[in-house]
Amino acid sequence: MAYSVLPIVDRRTGQVQFKVRGLWHICYVGDPILLEQLLARCARRPVFDPETSELLLGVAAAGELQGRNVAFSLAKFPTLHPLTKIGS
């Protein structure tokens, strides 16, 4: 099931935050500046699909009422604790 969201984008780190069903989700995107530019041109509210971890945008396009669809893959990074031990 996809959820309509209003993301907050950090241009420097690529962090994307949004609420789904009252809970904050924090993900990361590879090109935060492009995401920010396309969010400004959205023809409808962005949609987050938790099954594919994609943020789907309907960007305004000439001759298309719903706009053209653009998908951004979002990554969940692990905690700040190291996953491996160096020198062990």
Side-chain angles (χ1 to χ4, degrees):
M1 172 177 237
Y3 300 95
S4 179
V5 297
L6 184 58
I8 301 168
V9 181
D10 184 331
R11 298 177 83 185
R12 190 175 54 80
T13 64
Q15 188 179 75
V16 179
Q17 299 179 27
F18 50 86
K19 268 188 174 181
V20 173
R21 302 178 89 185
L23 298 174
W24 281 98
H25 289 262
I26 300 173
C27 302
Y28 296 84
V29 67
D31 193 348
I33 294 173
L34 178 61
L35 174 58
E36 184 181 78
Q37 291 170 349
L38 293 177
L39 280 169
R41 295 181 42 223
C42 274
R44 62 180 183 274
R45 197 166 177 170
V47 174
F48 173 65
D49 185 354
E51 291 181 11
T52 60
S53 288
E54 286 185 335
L55 186 63
L56 307 169
L57 308 179
V59 179
E64 297 180 36
L65 286 177
Q66 294 297 316
R68 65 180 169 90
N69 291 326
V70 179
F72 281 86
S73 294
L74 301 178
K76 284 209 174 263
F77 286 3
T79 62
L80 297 176
H81 303 292
L83 298 176
T84 59
K85 292 182 181 178
I86 298 175
S88 59

